[in-house]
Amino acid sequence: MAMLGYAGQILKIDLSTGKIEKEALTPELARKFIGGIALGAKLLNDTVKPNTDALSPGNVLIASSTPLSGTALIGSNKTDWTSKSPLSGLAQTATSGDFGANLKWAGYDSMVITGKAARPVYITIFDDEVQIHDAGHLWGKDVYETSDELWDKYGDTCTVFCIGPAGEKLATISMAYTNKISTAGRKGSGAVPGSKNLKAIVVRGTKGLRVAHTKELLAKADEIYERYLQDPLLKRWMDLGTTISVEQYSREGKVLWKNWRESYPADRQSSRFSVQQFMEIRDVSIPCLLCPLGCKVLYNVREGEFTGLETLQSCNMGAFLSYGAKFDLSSYNQIAKCHDTANRLGLDTVEVTCVLDFLIDLQEQGVIDEKVTDGIKLERDIDTLLTWMPKIANREGFGNVIADGYTGVFTALDQEVAKYAVQRRGGSLDIDTRGIFGVEAFGIAVGVTGPHATFALGPTMIGGRDIAWLRRYCLRMGMSEGELDSVFSDPSGFNVARLTRYVERWNALLACMGICNRAPLARLYSLPLITELYSLCTGLDLEPTELLSAADRCVVLLKLFNIRQGATRKDDYIPERNFTEPLYILGEESRMRDYYETRRLTREDIKAFIDDYYQERGWDKEGVPTRKTLTELGLTDYIEP
Amino acid sequence: MTVAKTKEKRAGKEFPILVYPEKCTGCRTCQVRCSVRYLGEFNPFKSYIIVARDHGKRTTSLDFTDDCIWCGYCARFCAYGALVLKKSAKSGKGSK
Ligand code: SF4
Ligand code: SF4
Ligand code: SF4
């Protein structure tokens, strides 16, 4: 009998043999690894052998639903995708899209795909019926064409996951998509299915889901929704989604261009990318499943350049940062065109634009000339994007080099050019550490999934928060007195490295529950509430501390995975340029400084922070989880002999 | 539910919801709410409201099945103004 709140099964598909197996998700496994990203981290560790090539059949593609997803709770229906990234060589995770809920309604908490099919295939999962089909007719088609064709065949109630040409060509700066809009993570999430000859997965679940305490869960869901409706910024959030921060970010100089050298001029943003201009191309909301906020939108170009273009956008802010600012575009119409092109090809927007920006910088600095880039001078304009994106996705000319991101460029050119790049393990940064140095910036150095704010996102995006505010935030994250002491006994007010450890734990827990990190949704959930909801859904009574331990287990397992794939302390760093060169924010020179901007941060400071972070996590000086830590977390199976 | 039963439940009522398919985003909240209320499970496929979509972009139709008993429960949770309870529309609420 299926467990309540869970579907109760893990679906395993080996594409090399065509073998399809269904394993029970035991209550023990559920209690220990909860679901979502923690279950993904466990399955990743148990499936992928040490030092596996991410583009070999030995890598895995995992999608996991969460214990809260597929119920009536708002903003908690995300899917966790897990694999080894071919770009960074580290664990790759993403919390995104509807796939998981549909998978759960079909009867599976997780899906684990290994091996490599002999020919291009796609998979259909319709409840108990799981089949592998020939995808010869889909291979070569873009993300939109593929999704449309599969929707034509199987109906719109399916969730469609697929890759575009970039994934097929194993570009390590590719992405996979669900329902044309949500990405299954960055950094080569398209190349992993591509390397398995897997073009698409179609899922439809009609079994539904029963929870342990339906009436009580609904009462809670109503209460959460009522609280959500009280948010004074709701109307604005619903209209603008992430565009809500575009103006403020520009005004504060947080929007960067010119290869991380300076902030993008605020007056350009206000004249080209105002809220009003956004509203002109904004059509309906395209929410994730059961989300009342709907921050994602349909772009609809109604007049001017590219009139008639309709395309789905999951993060308008991201599109502005990547295309609008970095490439000095003139309008949202141009952003829509570039976004549509990248989405269809299945390219990683952030990596593509950062690497092209870096190459433009190399040309501007006179380090390389046009001959390197197929005789084409790279410019900050739409033509460069529209010329190069197809070349990259199809690996044509120098596009073949860019398809492997920074690492590809370093290998093809002199390794010396690396000093001009701002990256960690081949991935571009989410945030510049020379701006506000909070947990989000420090997370760049130590993040288990690379230089991303994935787990370290939260309290210190805005500068100058006072200690009382930060303490309240920490209490909501369920930090104990001892943990608070450890973070706040620092003479500077708080220790950013130690705080990072707890923010990561909190975000890992949210990801285990599929809770969206957009502020109006994430702020509705606290540790006691999550604990209660988990118990109402599953009937399993866990203490809040047990849930936090599961979240810690998740980060530790991802770290162990990285170590087994060859990562060491040397891979935890802040790019050298951030120490040696200033960033010009609104024309003012800015160096890396502590959060309250009282002092410069040196390499020694960062080294000390990394030590603090490891210590707070119970890892040794090399960043390896100690025997004691693994024992405390019940991960003795993972202790190296 | 049998046709007779549905009829019995609808007796004396008018359909309580104003429906605006062009505002529907396909979030499926209404479906999940209906299915859990009447079937005790979260299952959009068993709900009494059908949302038809156009390949990820727009909703093409919003229909109620013959089993719908016109209770209006689903409309309370539509955040996008596609389902609006007639009584809250009259009182000026829910008109987004
Ligand atoms: S707020 Fe946006 S990203 Fe979050 S669940 Fe809703 S639509 Fe998805
Ligand atoms: S709740 Fe509203 S917006 Fe969502 S699917 Fe139902 S009718 Fe459409
Ligand atoms: S009105 Fe009532 S019965 Fe009809 S679809 Fe809505 S919730 Fe279901």
Side-chain angles (χ1 to χ4, degrees):
Chain A
M1 207 197 99
M3 285 190 296
L4 293 166
Y6 287 98
Q9 291 188 104
I10 298 172
L11 175 64
K12 295 193 168 173
I13 303 173
D14 181 342
L15 288 173
S16 298
T17 59
K19 200 161 149 199
I20 298 166
E21 289 176 300
K22 297 163 189 180
E23 272 178 21
L25 175 80
T26 61
E28 297 69 51
L29 207 61
R31 275 174 166 275
K32 201 161 166 183
F33 299 100
I34 308 291
I37 212 155
L39 188 57
K42 154 99 178 132
L43 294 166
L44 178 73
N45 261 288
D46 296 355
T47 317
V48 180
K49 297 205 172 77
N51 300 311
T52 293
D53 175 354
L55 296 176
S56 73
N59 197 2
V60 68
L61 175 70
I62 302 168
S64 302
S65 70
T66 79
L68 305 189
S69 70
T71 69
L73 294 165
I74 56 170
S76 65
N77 289 283
K78 297 240 168 190
T79 312
D80 283 312
W81 295 92
T82 320
S83 59
K84 175 175 176 176
S85 160
L87 183 68
S88 68
L90 304 175
Q92 160 73 359
T93 66
T95 304
S96 164
D98 296 358
F99 192 93
N102 233 329
L103 186 73
K104 194 171 171 186
W105 287 330
Y108 314 97
D109 298 293
S110 277
M111 170 195 78
V112 180
I113 300 181
T114 50
K116 177 181 180 176
R119 290 180 310 280
V121 295
Y122 71 96
I123 297 170
T124 53
I125 304 170
F126 300 137
D127 297 344
D128 295 335
E129 212 171 287
V130 180
Q131 286 182 310
I132 302 170
H133 311 259
D134 182 82
H137 60 297
L138 294 173
W139 205 253
K141 291 193 170 152
D142 74 27
V143 168
Y144 276 42
E145 291 163 343
T146 306
S147 307
D148 286 344
E149 205 167 314
L150 291 168
W151 270 324
D152 280 342
K153 189 168 164 105
Y154 297 107
D156 279 279
T157 49
C158 302
T159 296
V160 175
F161 162 96
C162 73
I163 59 168
E168 292 176 12
K169 295 270 165 40
L170 312 184
T172 58
I173 56 171
S174 59
M175 296 204 286
Y177 284 81
T178 26
N179 292 353
K180 298 179 183 168
I181 187 167
S182 304
T183 72
R186 283 172 37 196
K187 301 193 302 292
S189 68
V192 174
S195 71
K196 300 186 172 308
N197 265 334
L198 176 62
K199 179 68 180 173
I201 311 170
V202 183
V203 60
R204 177 173 49 224
T206 67
K207 290 183 165 183
L209 179 76
R210 287 182 185 268
V211 297
H213 304 283
T214 312
K215 221 174 105 203
E216 292 80 359
L217 183 71
L218 283 179
K220 276 283 155 199
D222 290 355
E223 212 180 289
I224 293 168
Y225 188 49
E226 277 305 316
R227 263 195 300 127
Y228 163 82
L229 291 174
Q230 305 308 316
D231 191 328
L233 286 178
L234 213 53
K235 169 86 177 71
R236 215 171 144 70
W237 256 104
M238 286 185 77
D239 281 345
L240 301 182
T242 53
T243 313
I244 203 162
S245 313
V246 163
E247 256 175 44
Q248 191 194 341
Y249 268 47
S250 305
R251 247 191 350 257
E252 292 174 359
K254 285 182 183 162
V255 180
L256 305 183
W257 68 338
K258 302 199 174 171
N259 195 25
W260 306 85
R261 295 190 188 280
E262 56 185 80
S263 64
Y264 170 77
D267 57 340
R268 280 192 207 208
Q269 177 274 318
S270 57
S271 63
R272 300 172 184 185
F273 304 107
S274 68
V275 160
Q276 209 179 346
Q277 283 155 327
F278 169 69
M279 292 309 282
E280 279 163 19
I281 70 154
R282 186 206 195 283
D283 202 308
V284 285
S285 299
I286 309 287
C288 302
L289 192 76
L290 307 178
C291 174
L293 192 67
C295 75
K296 305 179 174 184
V297 297
L298 176 66
Y299 280 157
N300 179 358
V301 182
R302 297 177 177 95
E303 59 179 30
E305 204 178 6
F306 310 117
T307 295
L309 175 68
E310 284 191 346
T311 191
L312 299 162
Q313 175 57 272
S314 66
C315 180
N316 185 57
M317 172 71 159
F320 162 67
L321 296 174
S322 292
Y323 304 115
K326 278 199 174 62
F327 285 81
D328 203 18
L329 301 189
S330 61
S331 65
Y332 271 119
N333 292 16
Q334 291 198 339
I335 287 186
K337 179 65 185 172
C338 294
H339 171 76
D340 186 64
T341 307
N343 257 29
R344 284 173 181 275
L345 293 167
L347 283 169
D348 179 336
T349 304
V350 178
E351 297 301 337
V352 165
T353 52
C354 282
V355 176
L356 281 171
D357 186 23
F358 159 65
L359 288 164
I360 294 170
D361 192 43
L362 289 183
Q363 289 193 344
E364 284 173 349
Q365 309 282 330
V367 180
I368 60 168
D369 59 21
E370 300 168 25
K371 275 193 251 119
V372 173
T373 50
D374 300 344
I376 308 169
K377 184 163 173 357
L378 302 176
E379 308 270 7
R380 291 195 172 78
D381 61 16
I382 186 168
D383 291 343
T384 294
L385 284 169
L386 296 183
T387 305
W388 283 91
M389 288 198 289
K391 277 169 73 81
I392 296 166
N394 293 309
R395 288 189 174 274
E396 289 162 10
F398 195 70
N400 185 34
V401 169
I402 307 178
D404 292 321
Y406 286 110
T407 319
V409 175
F410 301 162
T411 312
L413 306 180
D414 190 334
Q415 288 287 342
E416 270 291 287
V417 300
K419 68 173 190 253
Y420 294 90
V422 177
Q423 55 83 36
R424 177 177 154 231
R425 288 275 307 200
S428 52
L429 274 53
D430 276 355
I431 289 167
D432 196 302
T433 58
R434 295 162 298 180
I436 296 159
F437 198 90
V439 296
E440 299 80 4
F442 180 66
I444 295 292
V446 292
V448 284
T449 59
H452 307 299
T454 327
F455 290 122
L457 199 64
T460 43
M461 276 297 278
I462 292 174
R465 295 276 197 207
D466 64 47
I467 294 295
W469 189 96
L470 286 173
R471 281 189 91 102
R472 278 198 302 279
Y473 195 100
C474 289
L475 286 173
R476 191 165 64 84
M477 297 193 301
M479 283 173 64
S480 68
E481 279 303 322
E483 291 167 353
L484 288 167
D485 278 352
S486 176
V487 169
F488 290 102
S489 58
D490 197 276
S492 75
F494 73 97
N495 181 306
V496 72
R498 295 186 192 275
L499 179 58
T500 301
R501 177 244 183 282
Y502 297 104
V503 173
E504 285 180 340
R505 179 176 69 184
W506 178 243
N507 281 308
L509 180 62
L510 293 182
C512 288
M513 297 296 168
I515 295 172
C516 174
N517 63 13
R518 300 280 184 251
L521 295 167
R523 73 161 69 101
L524 299 169
Y525 293 91
S526 63
L527 181 61
L529 179 60
I530 291 174
T531 311
E532 193 179 351
L533 296 172
Y534 179 76
S535 149
L536 292 176
C537 282
T538 64
L540 300 174
D541 288 319
L542 290 187
E543 291 296 320
T545 47
E546 290 178 275
L547 285 176
L548 292 178
S549 294
D552 271 340
R553 239 169 249 134
C554 166
V555 177
V556 165
L557 283 175
L558 294 174
K559 182 71 181 179
L560 284 179
F561 178 79
N562 292 343
I563 293 168
R564 286 171 189 183
Q565 300 303 319
T568 65
R569 175 167 178 144
K570 282 201 192 77
D571 295 295
D572 289 350
Y573 61 88
I574 281 175
E576 185 59 18
R577 250 187 66 191
N578 291 20
F579 293 105
T580 54
E581 285 179 28
L583 170 70
Y584 288 90
I585 300 180
L586 305 171
E588 302 260 328
E589 184 181 298
S590 178
R591 301 270 181 177
M592 202 152 68
R593 297 164 77 83
D594 72 319
Y595 179 70
Y596 290 118
E597 301 190 29
T598 58
R599 66 188 168 105
R600 277 278 291 275
L601 292 176
T602 61
R603 290 178 193 80
E604 283 61 47
D605 292 317
I606 300 301
K607 188 178 162 289
F609 278 152
I610 293 176
D611 286 340
D612 290 346
Y613 171 82
Y614 288 171
Q615 190 194 50
E616 198 69 29
R617 281 216 160 275
W619 299 353
D620 69 15
K621 286 264 180 204
E622 292 306 309
V624 180
T626 61
R627 176 176 284 263
K628 180 165 170 280
T629 301
L630 294 178
T631 308
E632 279 167 7
L633 289 173
L635 295 174
T636 41
D637 293 355
Y638 295 87
I639 295 174
E640 294 285 354
Chain B
M1 212 173 300
T2 62
V3 177
K5 248 217 156 133
T6 314
K7 273 202 175 138
E8 196 186 300
K9 295 226 172 187
R10 287 180 182 178
K13 285 199 231 166
E14 71 163 324
F15 185 64
I17 305 169
L18 298 168
V19 184
Y20 304 99
E22 70 284 2
K23 292 191 181 179
C24 172
T25 61
C27 73
R28 294 184 166 208
T29 306
C30 52
Q31 295 186 309
V32 165
R33 283 290 187 160
C34 176
S35 71
V36 72
R37 183 161 182 124
Y38 294 108
L39 301 154
E41 62 182 83
F42 300 94
N43 190 345
F45 289 91
K46 289 194 181 161
S47 83
Y48 303 153
I49 179 166
I50 298 169
V51 184
R53 299 280 293 163
D54 176 14
H55 291 6
K57 291 183 181 172
R58 297 185 178 85
T59 292
T60 48
S61 67
L62 261 183
D63 292 310
F64 294 80
T65 70
D66 292 342
D67 286 324
C68 165
I69 59 159
W70 297 1
C71 72
Y73 177 69
C74 53
R76 280 173 43 198
F77 304 97
C78 178
Y80 299 96
L83 303 175
V84 180
L85 281 173
K86 285 180 183 162
K87 61 173 196 267
S88 57
K90 270 182 219 147
S91 69
K93 274 199 235 158
S95 49
K96 284 208 182 79

